[in-house]
Amino acid sequence: MQRDAPTSLYAQIAAALREDIAAARFEPSGRLPSEEALRARFGVSRVTVRLALAELECEGLVDRRKAKGTFTRGKQVRHALDTLRSFHESLKLQGFRAEISLIKAALDTDADAASLGFRVERLHLADGKPIAVGVSRLPSGLKDLDWDELANQPLYAVFEARLGVVLQRAEFAVGVGVADPAIADLLGVRAGQPLLTLERSSFDAEGRCVDRSTFHVRPERYQFTISSRY
């Protein structure tokens, strides 16, 4: 920090943080260090840090979320496919206000109805904005659950809490599709717009497929990732 410079300290901090944001140094979570950490890094008061963050917020570069911290605005949502984690949990871990809205829950008449005969359709939202529609085919025994009550629960949590089933592995396939009129209306996009698709099959300890889901995802803020080790 140049304390004798004509530029204010908070403006210098804001400039440094702009460079950090542009270089994606706060990814994958998008979360900036706490005010205390920034105060220690730059050797200034917390008031000065807050002035710098307020300037970035006015410029539309960050969002300041009560009790959660400061996050880069419009950051990409990253869903790691090498970790057994629900769509909902992936959003929460990155600091989003993750919500699920039930669209429909009913018995299915498709060909595989004998094993996965119950269909649940849900809308996923991040910070109040629709980001994906999930269509899940589940064991028919789940039809007796109160899905209105469970509307905001991730499926993996439902399996564990209500059935005592801990899922052991999942298989994924990522592709590209287009929004049909119904999905387009739910996601707030035009019909025919390209979407990311994620096909997920989840298996219990005995190797039985207990969840076959398709997620139709708005692509402009979403990325699927996988890591490898050598």
Side-chain angles (χ1 to χ4, degrees):
M1 302 298 297
Q2 299 180 15
R3 298 181 182 276
D4 57 350
T7 305
S8 65
L9 292 177
Y10 81 82
Q12 293 180 52
I13 295 170
L17 293 176
R18 281 191 207 97
E19 292 182 5
D20 288 342
I21 292 171
R25 295 192 179 109
F26 302 127
E27 300 300 330
S29 71
R31 184 173 184 173
L32 275 65
S34 66
E35 290 181 359
E36 178 58 25
L38 291 174
R39 185 200 65 76
R41 171 184 168 183
F42 294 108
V44 297
S45 70
R46 184 167 289 189
V47 171
T48 303
V49 168
R50 288 174 178 169
L51 287 172
L53 294 176
E55 180 165 310
L56 296 178
E57 186 174 32
C58 287
E59 294 172 0
L61 292 177
V62 301
D63 282 321
R64 302 170 78 183
R65 304 177 191 169
K66 186 176 181 181
K68 291 188 177 181
T70 303
F71 294 80
T72 55
R73 181 174 292 178
K75 70 183 180 66
Q76 290 280 345
V77 181
R78 287 173 167 81
H79 188 124
L81 299 181
D82 51 353
T83 302
L84 191 59
R85 182 176 296 140
S86 71
F87 196 96
H88 183 76
E89 287 299 320
S90 292
L91 291 173
K92 288 178 63 178
L93 287 173
Q94 292 176 79
F96 288 94
R97 188 178 78 253
E99 300 172 90
I100 307 172
S101 176
L102 180 65
I103 303 168
K104 184 172 68 174
L107 288 173
D108 203 342
T109 57
D110 284 357
D112 61 356
S115 58
L116 299 174
F118 187 62
R119 178 184 174 109
V120 176
E121 300 178 16
R122 306 199 291 181
L123 176 65
H124 292 261
L125 301 100
D127 292 342
K129 297 180 180 179
I131 195 167
V133 173
V135 179
S136 301
R137 291 174 172 82
L138 308 170
S140 299
L142 293 179
K143 66 180 176 60
D144 296 324
L145 297 181
D146 186 341
W147 284 95
D148 288 317
E149 177 188 344
L150 298 172
N152 208 38
Q153 294 293 314
L155 286 180
Y156 285 4
V158 172
F159 274 109
E160 186 169 354
R162 298 304 180 100
L163 301 179
V165 173
V166 179
L167 300 178
Q168 299 297 308
R169 67 181 181 89
E171 296 176 354
F172 300 97
V174 178
V176 178
V178 296
D180 66 28
I183 288 178
D185 185 57
L186 290 165
L187 292 179
V189 301
R190 59 176 175 79
Q193 177 172 316
L195 299 175
L196 287 174
T197 60
L198 174 66
E199 304 279 348
R200 182 188 72 194
S201 298
S202 306
F203 300 84
D204 65 13
E206 297 180 9
R208 294 173 298 191
C209 180
V210 294
D211 156 49
R212 186 170 293 125
S213 294
T214 301
F215 296 92
H216 306 272
V217 187
R218 293 186 62 157
E220 66 270 21
R221 288 182 58 196
Y222 214 91
Q223 291 182 352
F224 296 109
T225 65
I226 190 167
S227 60
S228 61
R229 297 180 180 179
Y230 295 94

